[in-house]
Amino acid sequence: MTPRKRLVAGNWKMNGDVAANEALLAALRDHVPASITRRIEVSVCPPFPYIGQAAARLAGSGISWGAQNLADAENGALTGEVSAAMLADLRCHFVIVGHSERRGLLGETDAVVASKTRRALAAGLRPIVCVGETLAQRDASVYQAVLSAQLDALADVLSDVPAAAYVIAYEPVWAIGTGRTATPEQAQQAHHWIRACLARRHGAAAQQVRVLYGGSVKSGNAQALFAMPDVDGGLIGGAALNGEEFGAICSACAKSKQG
Ligand code: PGA
């Protein structure tokens, strides 16, 4: 079995401006050298207006770029929305779908997340589909049922899709932006469960699906998380806004699971 290609993706969320991005993108080029991008995939997802800036600065660097969201429609009278085809036009590699901030704050349902995933795949983008439980759900010991339901909603969309064409990100809501990270063991348990859910629907292909961990990943905890057998990299929020820190996380991922 070919090993899964590890991935570190930065989610800039609604941060940055042209000047700050210029500095961050230059720092990324310095701190994420070819010695890293030869071993793992690295990508950053800026806000829509800055995707072109990232593309201009990262072309040829070995680091790809993507988006944080896409419209659940092909085109039309949808003021402010951005379609999958537009993102493909900007040569986006990945698109984050169903981030918990969109599910929780902006009311994205499992059905909308599935539909957006379908649109992303159809446009040749690689969706990074986020799943994860809230603190209340974890405390009520129902996190596995929550993950199963979120993944079951994607089952039809992901059937017959090659495993390399999409990525799942496990992002426990209680760990996002809180400084409270899942322990490596908690992450491994959840990732193992996610892979088992995928296997139930998609058989052996589940072994090839990359499952990222997201939620307060820093250079100091990345190594232990990435050492877990079912953790194939990370979706990085706050720490992706610092080139040196992001580079250190990428380096930890590149060094993980050697030999
Ligand atoms: P965080 O965000 O690393 O700041 O916790 C991760 C995410 O929301 O994707």
Side-chain angles (χ1 to χ4, degrees):
M1 193 178 73
T2 39
R4 297 181 292 271
K5 179 108 185 180
R6 287 154 295 159
L7 164 65
V8 175
N11 174 9
W12 292 8
K13 309 196 181 187
M14 199 174 75
N15 292 296
D17 55 38
V18 168
N21 298 342
E22 216 48 34
L24 175 52
L25 291 162
L28 286 177
R29 292 195 70 134
D30 286 347
H31 294 287
V32 187
S35 56
I36 291 178
T37 56
R38 269 198 299 270
R39 306 185 66 102
I40 65 167
E41 264 192 276
V42 177
S43 198
V44 294
C45 299
F48 288 136
Y50 303 127
I51 292 173
Q53 186 186 10
R57 294 290 174 260
L58 294 178
S61 71
I63 304 171
S64 68
W65 53 93
Q68 300 171 18
N69 180 37
L70 75 162
D72 185 19
E74 211 173 304
N75 52 37
L78 285 160
T79 303
E81 289 292 291
V82 176
S83 73
M86 294 171 187
L87 298 179
D89 246 359
L90 292 175
R91 292 172 292 128
C92 283
H93 197 74
F94 293 103
V95 59
I96 299 169
V97 183
H99 190 278
S100 66
E101 286 151 19
R102 301 200 60 84
R103 290 179 187 260
L105 303 172
L106 299 162
E108 276 190 17
T109 62
D110 283 345
V112 168
V113 173
S115 178
K116 287 187 172 189
T117 302
R118 188 192 300 280
R119 291 181 189 282
L121 289 164
L125 302 165
R126 287 150 208 80
I128 299 175
V129 189
C130 301
V131 297
E133 79 285 358
T134 63
L135 185 58
Q137 290 164 334
R138 175 151 286 260
D139 286 346
S141 302
V142 294
Y143 87 89
Q144 290 174 321
V146 171
L147 295 176
S148 298
Q150 290 173 337
L151 291 164
D152 279 352
L154 294 165
D156 287 348
V157 171
L158 297 180
S159 68
D160 302 327
V161 173
Y166 66 95
V167 176
I168 303 292
Y170 171 59
E171 297 213 311
V173 180
W174 47 272
I176 295 177
T178 58
R180 191 179 153 186
T181 322
T183 64
E185 292 72 26
Q186 284 173 322
Q188 170 57 26
Q189 276 169 9
H191 283 227
H192 186 74
W193 178 259
I194 287 168
R195 208 175 294 289
C197 292
L198 293 170
R200 216 172 351 101
R201 296 291 198 147
H202 311 297
Q207 291 307 319
Q208 295 299 319
V209 176
R210 290 174 294 175
V211 184
L212 308 186
Y213 171 78
S216 298
V217 178
K218 307 273 181 287
S219 57
N221 58 26
Q223 198 187 348
L225 287 161
F226 297 155
M228 293 291 122
D230 283 296
V231 177
D232 303 314
L235 181 56
I236 317 299
L241 299 173
N242 177 313
E244 194 173 350
E245 177 73 3
F246 188 72
I249 292 168
C250 293
S251 169
C253 187
K255 287 184 189 139
S256 67
K257 303 188 185 73
Q258 289 192 40

